[in-house]
Amino acid sequence: MSLVRRTAVTVVNAFIAAVGRLDKSLSPNDTLAKLRKHKWKASDSVYIFHFFSASFWLTIMTVPPFPYKLLIPVLYTIAMLIPLTSQFFLPATPVFSWLIMFYSNGFIPLQYRPNPSVSLLPTLETVLYGANISDLLTRFTHPILDILAWIPYGVGHYALPFVVAAFLWLFRPKEALRFWSTAFGYMFLIGVIVQILFPCAAPWYELIYGLTPANYGVKGSPGGLIRIDTLFHANGYTTAFGNSPLVFGAFPSLHSAAATLEALSVSHFFPQTKRWVWIYAGVLYWATMYMTHHYLIDVVGGACLATMCFYFFMPEELKNPVAATSPPGTNLNLISSTGTVKANGNLPAYRMGTHRSKYDIYDLEAPRDRQRNGNGRAGGGVNGRGIMAEAAAEFELAESEDEFASETGDGERHTGDEEDITYRPTMQKAAGRKPNGKVKSEIVAGGANGHRHTASIARLIRGPDARGSIDQGEEGWRSPMSAGFVFPPRNGKGRMVL
């Protein structure tokens, strides 16, 4: 099977499994029942902020006009009430809050808007870095460089957030997707607030208008992306940037912020892709300046914002690399801070995605000596005892025989009862008398306690008891020498009595 086909099969199977995990209920009563049972926390107060923020931006929004704009909150409320859609819309609330803020800021009356700065960013870049780095990167252009910059800046920036969200949904615990939507949404929300309060012109403005004061009547420009429109005989980027509601939003660069958050998140949840996502981020950093949309200080500011949001919104249970790379359906509360399954947990260790010791595989607590030394090889146990002696002391492996045998009225185990194949009865001495009156002893199976044994062949080699009959008495182990394990008793001098 080719690599492409195997990948496609894996994705399809993961998608089917992910759909199977969804809550497919369409009844609002289910959502209301969950809401009544919800234990409110201080962090839930953030939804009050989102409510007032959305109310403000809806109020100043003029397109679409009233009452059509009321469809936005109505549709959102319906989506929140239906369980099938609320499981997506609730975590994405910060993203929707950012979108309505970004769109509606264009309707802010001019008298309430700060004056855009034209010279602040290039001056800071020269002071901090010794030169106008972004200007140096735009002096030489080439169609190949245009394509190389366009792929991450004009395509990847808009598509990759959905790709990351899809892969987290398919292959990682649900907490990972919730983190991604939260960090991504609040990062863009903070970035847009800064851009509204501290508007700054991008390098394309300096190239077109010089350092003349800017005003909000200036239309946005696609910058270097106009060469892509020319190359493909289109005007998509020219139209999109020309109608942008936020023209003076150079600092911080949300392109570099998105690339940094994507690189941090993907390398955390999919460590095998770490090299490639950071190469992508590096190319996008260069593309933002090559396309004359940002100064270097904007790129640094966006990267710092993304890093802050990544570590601030990362939940404690996902900081553990084992938890971050665990498969969907994992109960992260069962994973301890050391990356192992807690005692008495119900999650098999083989689902953790990494190598586990035998104690983790069988959900057992490691012996004290193993815990002290960090692994099973260091140290020799307590009081000179080896690690296996310590393990035996830590765990009571013997279990009552009646856990494996069917019970009768007298509480004894009888021949013919079904028995687990992993059970091996212990051998005990049984006393009896010979016809001549002398005492004889023999080893028979049974006893108060038994042991679990992992060799399933044990069931196959059980044979007749010491009396040679498989239908009488307790079962024993078949000897290759005789029908039973019968040993003559010894006299006081240690000699066998025949």
Side-chain angles (χ1 to χ4, degrees):
M1 184 182 294
S2 65
L3 177 62
V4 175
R5 184 179 178 184
R6 288 198 305 268
T7 303
V9 171
T10 301
V11 172
V12 170
N13 291 337
F15 176 78
I16 295 173
V19 172
R21 294 191 300 269
L22 291 177
D23 183 356
K24 303 175 183 63
S25 173
L26 300 177
S27 174
N29 293 330
D30 295 340
T31 301
L32 296 176
K34 292 180 181 179
L35 188 62
R36 285 191 293 267
K37 295 179 181 178
H38 180 71
K39 296 181 179 179
W40 298 98
K41 300 175 293 185
S43 58
D44 294 328
S45 60
V46 71
Y47 293 103
I48 301 176
F49 162 76
H50 290 303
F51 173 79
F52 284 107
S53 174
S55 300
F56 170 76
W57 295 113
L58 279 171
T59 301
I60 69 173
M61 184 187 299
T62 58
V63 179
F66 184 87
Y68 300 105
K69 62 183 179 181
L70 294 180
L71 287 175
I72 298 175
V74 169
L75 293 176
Y76 181 77
T77 302
I78 294 174
M80 291 293 289
L81 287 175
I82 299 176
L84 179 62
T85 54
S86 65
Q87 56 195 327
F88 294 104
F89 276 70
L90 182 61
T93 296
V95 178
F96 293 120
S97 185
W98 154 63
L99 287 174
I100 192 172
M101 179 183 294
F102 174 77
Y103 173 74
S104 298
N105 88 93
F107 303 111
I108 299 176
L110 292 177
Q111 60 268 28
Y112 298 110
R113 293 188 175 193
N115 293 324
S117 174
V118 176
S119 59
L120 176 62
L121 294 180
T123 301
L124 284 176
E125 183 169 290
T126 302
V127 171
L128 294 176
Y129 307 112
N132 193 328
I133 306 299
S134 58
D135 179 63
L136 296 176
L137 294 177
T138 60
R139 292 183 179 180
F140 176 77
T141 61
H142 190 275
I144 296 180
L145 295 179
D146 293 341
I147 296 295
L148 185 62
W150 164 67
I151 292 175
Y153 191 86
V155 179
H157 172 71
Y158 302 101
L160 199 57
F162 296 98
V163 175
V164 173
F167 271 78
L168 291 177
W169 177 55
L170 293 176
F171 300 107
R172 291 298 177 257
K174 61 181 180 180
E175 291 84 358
L177 180 58
R178 188 178 299 117
F179 155 76
W180 170 250
S181 60
T182 301
F184 185 87
Y186 282 113
M187 180 187 71
F188 271 75
L189 194 62
I190 295 171
V192 168
I193 292 175
V194 173
Q195 291 172 352
I196 293 174
L197 297 179
F198 304 99
C200 296
W204 60 260
Y205 181 90
E206 183 181 357
L207 293 176
I208 298 174
Y209 303 101
L211 296 178
T212 58
N215 60 77
Y216 288 99
V218 175
K219 291 287 186 181
S221 170
L225 288 173
I226 195 172
R227 298 193 294 270
I228 300 298
D229 280 349
T230 302
L231 183 64
F232 291 104
H233 305 285
N235 60 353
Y237 289 107
T238 302
T239 302
F241 282 90
N243 295 322
S244 174
L246 191 56
V247 176
F248 301 102
F251 182 86
S253 169
L254 293 181
H255 275 76
S256 68
T260 303
L261 185 64
E262 288 157 359
L264 288 170
S265 301
V266 173
S267 60
H268 182 69
F269 293 105
F270 303 94
Q272 65 274 21
T273 64
K274 183 176 182 179
R275 176 185 302 178
W276 307 110
V277 293
W278 281 109
I279 290 176
Y280 163 82
V283 173
L284 189 137
Y285 294 158
W286 161 78
T288 60
M289 296 177 282
Y290 177 79
M291 290 295 183
T292 68
H293 279 270
H294 291 286
Y295 295 97
L296 178 58
I297 192 172
D298 305 335
V299 176
V300 174
C304 292
L305 173 62
T307 304
M308 179 192 70
C309 290
F310 175 81
Y311 287 104
F312 181 80
F313 292 106
M314 175 67 69
E316 195 66 29
E317 60 269 19
L318 286 177
K319 293 180 180 179
N320 189 331
V322 176
T325 56
S326 59
T330 300
N331 187 346
L332 300 183
N333 293 326
L334 298 178
I335 302 179
S336 65
S337 59
T338 58
T340 59
V341 180
K342 291 182 178 179
N344 300 324
N346 58 13
L347 181 66
Y350 62 80
R351 295 185 60 191
M352 292 296 99
T354 56
H355 178 72
R356 290 285 174 265
S357 70
K358 58 187 176 183
Y359 301 99
D360 299 330
I361 292 175
Y362 295 105
D363 295 338
L364 298 175
E365 181 183 359
R368 294 194 185 99
D369 184 71
R370 187 182 183 90
Q371 292 175 346
R372 274 193 301 273
N373 294 281
N375 55 61
R377 298 177 183 177
V382 181
N383 300 326
R385 292 188 297 175
I387 186 65
M388 295 308 296
E390 282 298 303
E394 289 292 333
F395 303 108
E396 179 60 47
L397 298 181
E399 298 184 16
S400 176
E401 182 185 3
D402 56 13
E403 293 179 9
F404 304 96
S406 60
E407 295 293 332
T408 60
D410 55 2
E412 296 182 355
R413 190 170 182 274
H414 292 267
T415 304
D417 292 339
E418 285 295 324
E419 185 179 34
D420 184 80
I421 64 172
T422 62
Y423 170 76
R424 182 182 66 181
T426 57
M427 310 305 296
Q428 295 183 342
K429 283 189 176 183
R433 290 187 176 272
K434 290 185 177 182
N436 57 8
K438 293 183 179 181
V439 177
K440 68 173 182 177
S441 63
E442 59 185 44
I443 303 298
V444 297
N449 294 322
H451 297 278
R452 286 189 180 273
H453 196 280
T454 56
S456 61
I457 197 172
R459 178 68 173 178
L460 302 177
I461 64 175
R462 289 199 186 100
D465 63 355
R467 288 172 294 232
S469 173
I470 198 170
D471 296 324
Q472 299 178 6
E474 300 289 337
E475 291 183 353
W477 294 95
R478 173 175 297 172
S479 169
M481 303 296 297
S482 64
F485 294 96
V486 181
F487 297 94
R490 298 176 182 269
N491 57 17
K493 297 181 180 181
R495 294 181 179 179
M496 294 184 181
V497 179
L498 300 176

